[in-house]
Amino acid sequence: MLLAIQQAHLALADGDVPVGAIVVFDGRIVGTGFNSREKNRDPLGHAELTAIRAASLNLDRWRLTGCTLYVTLEPCPMCAPAIVQARLDRLVFGAYDPKLGAAGTVFELILREEYPHRVEVIGGVREEECAEMLRNFFSRCRKDRD
Amino acid sequence: MLLAIQQAHLALADGDVPVGAIVVFDGRIVGTGFNSREKNRDPLGHAELTAIRAASLNLDRWRLTGCTLYVTLEPCPMCAPAIVQARLDRLVFGAYDPKLGAAGTVFELILREEYPHRVEVIGGVREEECAEMLRNFFSRCRKDRD
């Protein structure tokens, strides 16, 4: 999770909401990503999607069986099903998202009986550290706006 | 929708599930996409995401306000929220998906009060044509397997 937090700092540097992610396979990092929606003007530029795409390219397969995704924030309704689509084994996330969290907090879009694949979910890892980074970012945004 | 169907035929040519999409802004096509999960080994290679990314690149913005997405199949639980994330004005789809349709058939992941954005949804446009293409594809897959 520390490495995902490092990724989140890269988003911060670009003025994007600080969320970072990594994909680990067999003890090594095969994909990294950070939120780049503003920087790249990409509505799909969330940390999870970027890390998943990088891992697929790296492993040369779309089924990321055997892989774990670490992300600093609970995935949104777009990214949660993407984790299932990519057939990841496990999702580990930091802060819970009370507004749009889709790994159980607001929506349940990972563990659904309609899906052909099961992902193990662990939430709240280094939660405070991940949440604080987001709080600081939004607090600075509000100050800049005022 | 005819142009989205043409895109779907491109997926067919690569052995991918035939789904195609286009994004229209101000009367012109600004993004196209077809399912390329197998061809590009990309778990995010759905027609909608590819068309959205192309439109964002083309218009140089992540908010696709004023745009309409046409897609031959009802979006899945990953693509439906992506359409909201990208702030599209309108979604027009062909065939309904009784297994994973996320524009109301199985999941409702477009029109949610939790979201900060509203997308207009029109389903069932050239439904039979879009559905038949998918039925033919899966029927051929089953024959090849037997």
Side-chain angles (χ1 to χ4, degrees):
Chain A
M1 185 58 77
L2 276 175
L3 295 168
I5 293 173
Q6 282 179 11
Q7 287 292 313
H9 280 288
L10 297 176
L12 257 189
D14 296 319
D16 266 297
V17 179
V19 181
I22 61 167
V23 174
V24 172
F25 175 66
D26 212 11
R28 64 194 172 93
I29 296 176
V30 291
T32 64
F34 54 89
N35 181 32
S36 61
R37 198 165 63 164
E38 296 295 344
K39 181 192 173 197
N40 292 338
R41 296 181 193 83
D42 180 3
L44 313 178
H46 282 191
E48 299 93 318
L49 299 195
T50 306
I52 285 173
R53 184 168 289 115
S56 286
L57 273 173
N58 210 334
L59 298 176
D60 198 26
R61 54 183 164 103
W62 70 261
R63 285 182 188 85
L64 297 180
T65 320
C67 294
T68 299
L69 178 86
Y70 295 83
V71 57
T72 57
L73 179 66
E74 183 179 358
C76 78
M78 167 178 74
C79 293
I83 289 162
V84 181
Q85 285 280 6
R87 308 288 194 271
L88 284 141
D89 275 7
R90 206 154 61 132
L91 159 69
V92 181
F93 68 86
Y96 291 87
D97 182 353
K99 281 194 176 168
L100 279 177
T105 299
V106 182
F107 304 86
E108 178 49 82
L109 293 176
I110 301 262
L111 308 171
R112 300 286 301 229
E113 60 181 26
E114 295 93 341
Y115 294 160
H117 177 71
R118 292 275 151 259
V119 176
E120 183 191 355
V121 180
I122 300 167
V125 173
R126 289 192 178 262
E127 179 182 359
E128 187 42 36
E129 213 169 328
C130 295
E132 196 187 359
M133 190 163 46
L134 287 159
R135 274 196 304 270
N136 288 344
F137 174 79
F138 286 114
S139 150
R140 269 199 306 277
C141 286
R142 276 190 297 272
K143 271 186 200 152
D144 289 349
R145 210 174 45 198
D146 293 342
Chain B
M1 186 58 79
L2 275 175
L3 296 168
I5 293 174
Q6 282 180 9
Q7 287 292 313
H9 280 288
L10 298 175
L12 257 188
D14 296 319
D16 266 295
V17 180
V19 182
I22 61 167
V23 174
V24 173
F25 175 66
D26 213 10
R28 63 196 172 93
I29 296 176
V30 292
T32 63
F34 54 89
N35 181 32
S36 61
R37 197 163 66 164
E38 297 295 343
K39 180 192 173 197
N40 292 338
R41 297 182 193 84
D42 179 2
L44 313 179
H46 282 192
E48 300 92 316
L49 299 195
T50 306
I52 286 173
R53 182 168 292 113
S56 287
L57 272 172
N58 211 333
L59 299 175
D60 199 27
R61 53 182 164 104
W62 69 260
R63 284 181 190 84
L64 297 181
T65 320
C67 294
T68 298
L69 178 86
Y70 295 83
V71 57
T72 57
L73 178 65
E74 183 179 0
C76 78
M78 167 177 75
C79 294
I83 289 162
V84 182
Q85 284 281 5
R87 307 289 193 271
L88 284 142
D89 276 7
R90 207 154 62 131
L91 161 68
V92 181
F93 68 85
Y96 291 86
D97 183 353
K99 281 194 176 168
L100 279 177
T105 300
V106 183
F107 303 87
E108 178 48 81
L109 292 176
I110 302 261
L111 308 170
R112 299 288 299 227
E113 60 183 27
E114 296 92 340
Y115 294 160
H117 178 71
R118 291 275 151 262
V119 177
E120 184 191 353
V121 180
I122 300 167
V125 174
R126 290 189 179 264
E127 180 183 357
E128 189 41 39
E129 213 170 329
C130 295
E132 195 186 358
M133 190 164 47
L134 287 159
R135 275 197 304 270
N136 289 343
F137 174 80
F138 287 114
S139 148
R140 269 198 306 278
C141 285
R142 275 190 297 271
K143 271 188 199 149
D144 289 348
R145 210 175 46 200
D146 292 342

